Amino acid sequence: KPGEPAWPSPWGEGRPGWHIECSAMMSDLLGGEVDINAGGIDLKFPHHENQMAQVEAHYDCCKACNYFWHSGHLSIDGLKMSKSLKNFITIREALETYSARQLRFLFLLQKYHQPMEYSQNSMAAAADLE
């Protein structure tokens, strides 16, 4: 993108990736090995792959993370929740309409690794369980 740091490489313009930020934080706070690393399913590749390669290279180890926990995306009315799409809701905003217990039921109705839909229909189903 124009204005971002970059340098020439044989494969095109190179630029620092956000993987290095996660690698640096992990190394600084937790050292060279963690038991569990988590994030959205969209981070599985290349983000987590690169993060582990950087940490393992830095510490000269063969396994920087024992387990990955990749969660499904949260959708709002059929679209992936995203600030850039301006279709997001905070927990505080959701609690203006629904109870904390109803939100918990919504989360419990989903498998962690599959997408979750936040809509009037899904919240009605969760509210019916209360």
Side-chain angles (χ1 to χ4, degrees):
K1 296 178 186 174
E4 290 187 350
W7 60 89
S9 79
W11 308 278
E13 288 290 296
R15 62 185 191 91
W18 54 299
H19 325 295
I20 196 67
E21 295 172 2
C22 292
S23 302
M25 288 186 291
M26 178 183 151
S27 297
D28 183 53
L29 298 171
L30 304 170
E33 186 177 334
V34 297
D35 196 32
I36 300 172
N37 194 341
I41 194 69
D42 57 328
L43 299 178
K44 190 172 185 176
F45 180 83
H47 179 69
H48 284 150
E49 295 285 335
N50 287 329
Q51 179 187 0
M52 292 303 98
Q54 291 166 348
V55 171
E56 290 168 3
H58 176 74
Y59 286 99
D60 194 25
C61 67
C62 59
K63 192 171 184 181
C65 177
N66 293 320
Y67 304 98
F68 276 99
W69 186 9
H70 294 106
S71 61
H73 291 134
L74 174 61
S75 294
I76 297 186
D77 295 322
L79 295 172
K80 178 184 162 191
M81 185 172 85
S82 168
K83 283 186 179 181
S84 63
L85 294 176
K86 296 181 176 53
N87 70 332
F88 65 95
I89 186 167
T90 66
I91 296 292
R92 186 169 279 122
E93 290 169 336
L95 289 171
E96 291 173 6
T97 307
Y98 303 102
S99 71
R101 186 179 170 123
Q102 290 168 335
L103 288 173
R104 288 185 192 110
F105 277 125
L106 175 69
F107 300 142
L108 290 171
L109 288 170
Q110 314 301 317
K111 294 184 178 183
Y112 77 91
H113 63 282
Q114 295 187 344
M116 180 171 65
E117 176 71 23
Y118 177 87
S119 66
Q120 288 183 336
N121 288 341
S122 64
M123 284 308 303
D128 285 345
L129 296 173
E130 189 173 31

